[in-house]
Amino acid sequence: MNKFRTHTCGELSVKNNGSKVTLSGWINKKRDHGNLLFIDLRDNYGITQCIIDKENKYFKNLEKIHLETVVKINGLVSKRSQDTVNKDIKTGDIEIKIKSYEILGSCKELPMPVFTDQEYAEDIRLKYRFLDLRRKKIHDNIILRSKVISFIREEMIKLGFLEFQTPILTSSSPEGARDFLVPSRLNQGKFYALPQAPQQFKQLIMVSGFDKYFQIAPCFRDEDARADRSPGEFYQLDLEMSFVEQEEIFEVVEKLMKLIFKKFSKKKILYETFPKITYRDALLKYGTDKPDLRNPLLISDLTSVFTRDDVKFEIFKKLVKSGSIVRAIKTENTKDKPRSFFDGIDNWAKDQGASGMAYFSIEEGERITAKGPVGKFFSQDALIEIMKITEAKVGDSIFFLCNKEYEVLKLISLARDKIANDLNLINNENFAFCWIVDYPMFEVDEKTKKISFSHNPFSMPQGEEAKLDISKPLEIKAYQYDIVCNGIELSSGAIRNHKPDLMYKLFSIAGYSKNEVDKKFKGMINALSYGAPPHGGIAPGIDRIVMLLANEKNIREVTLFPMNQNAQDLMMDAPSEITEDQLKELGLKIKKK
RNA sequence: GGGGGUGUAGCUCAGUUGGUUAGAGCGAUCGCCUGUCACGCGAUAGGUCGCGGGUUCGAGUCCCGUCACUCCCGCCA
């Protein structure tokens, strides 16, 4: 028999009435009635009420015991009387009459309460993460994460995938995010990089003939954090398949996502077949390539309207003449919304750094008119044209923005979310997945005006290789795709380019010579030259999947030991300084500021 | 790198127009209480009001700077 416990704190019931038991756990709560003391004992599995009175010689000592002390309690299971049953806990029908106890782990005065729903400052939570993790909500989130990962493993194996580990110490890659670097002792002056993703390795696994690979892969990127983006490290379900076309990857992932989300959430999946939206359409209709499809609002292009002579909105007309565009959001049946609704959105846009958001509502008296500060600038014919483009009816309102395309897209996608939230149009009880497809191979860099890869340079361009028109690079689409759920980008993937000659051609468009490509992607190009199978894959973000399932907005709520926004681990005190000897051994010198 | 928010007791927070000795709940300590489950009651301790400077007869409160945390932009193929 185990010397610490005969049962856990979550399993005793009236069936055990009268039996002698031993429980071990944390003191969750005490209720001291002077001559009678209740102790709620907690472990991973639940809470059991224990009781002792002054007749027992241990009473005085137990009265003094600190919350969160770890104790072993010996006692008798006792059925509670009808009026003292607690329906809120699994073991609420019984309690333990304490015979004796033993302290297994003492506890100092707590820096923060454990048993409370109160929110508290994140730096304290992170510093005392082991206490924070005892709290029910985050404890449950972490358990959920574990179960989701186990489930993914099982399903992937069922689907015939093999799980492999790839190196954590690898080489720095020139494209993409900033690398975390590790100095090499045996090769002084040289550095390893932690993988931003096992991208090249998984392709090499395909070249090695393993056919289907997956891994719950740690990925490291030295970029600034966001609420949904850990600084440093995160996890992907990395997968790759040989001899596949895009559709087969969609099939696998769609099936897997539906299984996961149905198993671990009660929320409804809005589209059983995930809609496929082209990158181009997504930018037009939603202003972003990660649209929240729970949001019914659509964006329209009204640029052409502002070239009409019967539109007198001169500020916008002038901007349009110099290359700006106008995009609009239609809201249905909102003409009678109070002025504060419209002003709220206008002011919000100003807070976002725009010059504001123009709007009017469409009314019909003897003729069609536009009500609102800028309504007078539009003729009836112009309004009818706007109604045609936006599919608006009388009673609807139009919000619009004018700026350079890049700026308009950034703001109007946010405005779409903002307006939908204000109108309470987003049902949080739904999951809306979609695929974004047909990403362009290249884009023009905003700053340098040079042509560069828009996503993954290893993606396969669409169409036949022979017909590829490299004189119009911006028109080349790639077999590149993203999966998005509720406006959150879960992953991106691609059919890879496994042909070295084609790769040289594409890299030359982005300004890389054959020599440079050979140098930077030596291992990859070399491998692809020895019989590479056509292959492709994707890598859904595990952390974000769990966030959606746990209904959390912050990735730290589903991460065991996260770092803070400045990429510091307050509990382990990382990063930390190292000794002179360590530096010397690595051939490094710290430059003092 | 830039912008917003926050910073008062161990924790969560209040603090009026700048005005006496900076308060409450939880936690801690001490006492009372035999059916609670956020037990109840009484008392005590606990404060560099993030830090530095300024304005003022007087600053938690106003101004300037700075630091920390957080959210966002940039960044994240």
Side-chain angles (χ1 to χ4, degrees):
Chain A
M1 198 180 88
N2 181 302
K3 77 179 191 185
F4 296 116
R5 62 187 180 194
T6 56
H7 299 79
T8 69
C9 294
E11 66 174 311
L12 292 170
S13 70
V14 281
K15 275 181 262 169
N16 307 92
N17 192 26
S19 54
K20 226 172 112 182
V21 296
T22 304
L23 299 181
S24 285
W26 287 262
I27 307 277
N28 192 59
K29 195 74 190 167
K30 285 188 302 178
R31 289 173 296 282
D32 187 354
H33 291 237
N35 294 315
L36 178 73
L37 171 68
F38 296 96
I39 290 175
D40 291 338
L41 196 68
R42 183 195 73 237
D43 66 10
N44 183 60
Y45 309 98
I47 288 177
T48 301
Q49 173 167 284
C50 305
I51 183 168
I52 187 169
D53 68 19
K54 66 174 178 190
E55 304 306 319
N56 188 304
K57 66 174 176 178
Y58 296 109
F59 179 78
K60 276 288 165 201
N61 289 332
L62 266 175
E63 257 191 320
K64 298 259 184 293
I65 207 164
H66 276 164
L67 295 181
E68 295 305 314
T69 302
V70 177
V71 292
K72 175 172 110 174
I73 281 174
N74 299 305
L76 288 177
V77 180
S78 163
K79 188 183 173 199
R80 296 201 207 179
S81 66
Q82 270 304 318
D83 54 328
T84 59
V85 162
N86 182 354
K87 290 198 175 66
D88 296 332
I89 58 175
K90 275 186 287 182
T91 61
D93 288 330
I94 55 98
E95 60 197 4
I96 307 299
K97 296 229 185 286
I98 299 172
K99 293 293 172 208
S100 63
Y101 84 103
E102 186 187 323
I103 290 179
L104 301 177
S106 62
C107 180
K108 296 198 285 188
E109 187 180 344
L110 293 165
M112 58 182 220
V114 170
F115 179 64
T116 170
D117 291 331
Q118 209 168 58
E119 295 293 328
Y120 38 76
E122 196 130 20
D123 41 351
I124 296 160
R125 293 183 58 190
L126 293 182
K127 184 168 178 190
Y128 297 97
R129 191 61 163 178
F130 47 88
L131 291 179
D132 191 37
L133 287 165
R134 291 180 194 171
R135 300 194 310 151
K136 184 159 177 34
K137 192 171 167 220
I138 188 158
H139 200 87
D140 288 348
N141 283 352
I142 299 299
I143 291 172
L144 172 69
R145 183 189 176 110
S146 168
K147 288 185 171 165
V148 168
I149 289 175
S150 306
F151 181 75
I152 289 173
R153 276 215 167 86
E154 285 167 27
E155 292 303 317
M156 292 304 287
I157 290 165
K158 273 190 217 164
L159 288 165
F161 285 78
L162 299 168
E163 182 174 14
F164 296 122
Q165 286 73 49
T166 49
I168 297 298
L169 293 175
T170 180
S171 62
S172 179
S173 65
E175 301 277 322
R178 207 175 282 119
D179 283 318
F180 276 103
L181 298 171
V182 179
S184 167
R185 175 180 60 87
L186 293 175
N187 305 275
Q188 289 208 353
K190 293 187 176 176
F191 291 80
Y192 302 97
L194 306 184
Q196 294 178 24
Q199 179 63 37
Q200 295 194 46
F201 288 110
K202 69 172 169 179
Q203 292 193 237
L204 292 166
I205 289 170
M206 292 302 102
V207 178
S208 309
F210 289 104
D211 203 59
K212 286 181 186 175
Y213 140 91
F214 87 100
Q215 178 179 198
I216 309 294
C219 303
F220 306 88
R221 295 177 192 176
D222 189 4
E223 296 293 349
D224 289 354
R226 288 288 183 277
D228 63 349
R229 207 164 81 203
S230 290
E233 58 197 75
F234 61 96
Y235 283 79
Q236 289 182 338
L237 163 58
D238 194 43
L239 67 95
E240 196 78 4
M241 304 159 80
S242 285
F243 306 110
V244 287
E245 295 182 84
Q246 186 167 282
E247 281 300 323
E248 289 165 86
I249 291 165
F250 289 176
E251 228 170 87
V252 166
V253 174
E254 209 166 306
K255 185 178 168 192
L256 186 70
M257 288 297 147
K258 280 190 279 199
L259 284 171
I260 295 170
F261 280 74
K262 281 179 182 170
K263 183 173 172 71
F264 294 103
S265 178
K266 290 196 173 69
K267 294 187 184 182
K268 190 182 159 202
I269 294 176
L270 270 187
Y271 309 105
E272 282 285 329
T273 302
F274 301 172
K276 293 187 184 69
I277 304 167
T278 64
Y279 176 78
R280 211 188 150 92
D281 271 0
L283 288 195
L284 175 64
K285 286 185 185 163
Y286 311 104
T288 172
D289 63 351
K290 37 184 183 184
D292 186 348
L293 292 193
R294 293 172 305 171
N295 180 344
L297 300 177
L298 291 178
I299 295 166
S300 311
D301 187 285
L302 292 184
T303 310
S304 64
V305 174
F306 288 83
T307 59
R308 293 168 64 109
D309 290 336
D310 59 349
V311 170
K312 306 291 184 195
F313 197 175
E314 297 302 334
I315 311 166
F316 276 29
K317 291 185 80 168
K318 213 170 138 190
L319 286 168
V320 166
K321 249 181 208 155
S322 62
S324 285
I325 62 162
V326 180
R327 292 274 158 95
I329 295 172
K330 173 196 72 170
T331 59
E332 289 182 6
N333 207 13
T334 41
K335 79 172 168 61
D336 296 325
K337 285 272 167 192
R339 179 69 184 255
S340 60
F341 163 70
F342 296 97
D343 285 348
I345 289 158
D346 187 33
N347 287 332
W348 166 86
K350 284 176 181 139
D351 286 346
Q352 298 294 311
S355 49
M357 204 153 178
Y359 64 86
F360 58 70
S361 297
I362 300 163
E363 298 196 321
E364 187 170 27
E366 284 173 23
R367 48 198 311 218
I368 302 273
T369 56
K371 184 183 84 171
V374 300
K376 58 177 183 282
F377 297 124
F378 298 88
S379 70
Q380 173 165 257
D381 285 349
L383 290 172
I384 288 169
E385 175 69 11
I386 288 173
M387 288 168 75
K388 207 172 113 195
I389 295 171
T390 60
E391 297 180 10
K393 300 181 299 296
V394 171
D396 294 351
S397 310
I398 309 284
F399 292 84
F400 46 103
L401 282 173
C402 178
N403 207 329
K404 296 288 176 210
E405 180 168 2
Y406 174 74
E407 299 287 338
V408 167
L409 291 184
K410 208 168 73 185
L411 192 67
I412 200 131
S413 61
L414 293 173
R416 186 173 160 268
D417 295 334
K418 160 75 180 163
I419 295 169
N421 274 318
D422 284 3
L423 290 171
N424 204 14
L425 297 176
I426 295 175
N427 184 346
N428 196 34
E429 291 307 305
N430 291 335
F431 289 123
F433 286 90
C434 62
W435 291 100
I436 308 296
V437 298
D438 295 350
Y439 275 82
M441 193 80 214
F442 298 100
E443 65 185 6
V444 177
D445 188 288
E446 281 294 318
K447 280 176 229 151
T448 61
K449 302 293 170 201
K450 280 185 189 156
I451 287 186
S452 62
F453 288 105
S454 66
H455 274 69
N456 186 332
F458 301 121
S459 300
M460 183 66 105
Q462 293 188 17
E464 281 174 53
E465 192 182 341
K467 291 183 188 161
L468 204 62
D469 185 356
I470 63 166
S471 66
K472 291 177 185 162
L474 295 178
E475 287 175 19
I476 301 173
K477 286 178 198 150
Y479 284 115
Q480 168 112 33
Y481 35 83
D482 274 15
I483 188 166
V484 174
C485 179
N486 292 2
I488 290 170
E489 184 191 320
L490 284 185
S491 61
S492 56
I495 297 296
R496 320 297 174 188
N497 184 347
H498 67 286
K499 299 175 179 174
D501 288 347
L502 182 54
M503 204 175 287
Y504 289 129
K505 210 188 270 181
L506 294 169
F507 268 95
S508 75
I509 294 171
Y512 292 87
S513 70
K514 185 168 184 287
N515 267 343
E516 283 173 287
V517 178
D518 281 340
K519 211 173 155 194
K520 284 174 172 165
F521 305 105
K522 197 174 157 193
M524 197 67 228
I525 290 277
N526 190 37
L528 294 179
S529 318
Y530 288 95
H535 61 284
I538 193 164
I542 299 278
D543 313 81
R544 287 183 181 171
I545 288 172
V546 180
M547 273 173 79
L548 283 167
L549 293 170
N551 202 23
E552 292 288 357
K553 289 206 165 59
N554 195 300
I555 200 160
R556 292 184 295 273
E557 300 299 326
V558 297
T559 308
L560 256 182
F561 299 112
M563 296 201 283
N564 69 9
Q565 196 170 42
N566 294 323
Q568 298 158 335
D569 181 335
L570 299 175
M571 187 175 63
M572 301 302 277
D573 198 24
S576 57
E577 287 174 0
I578 57 172
T579 65
E580 275 302 319
D581 284 350
Q582 286 174 302
L583 283 171
K584 209 172 151 191
E585 210 167 33
L586 295 165
L588 294 179
K589 211 170 212 164
I590 302 293
K591 204 170 149 188
K592 300 274 186 237
K593 270 188 186 168

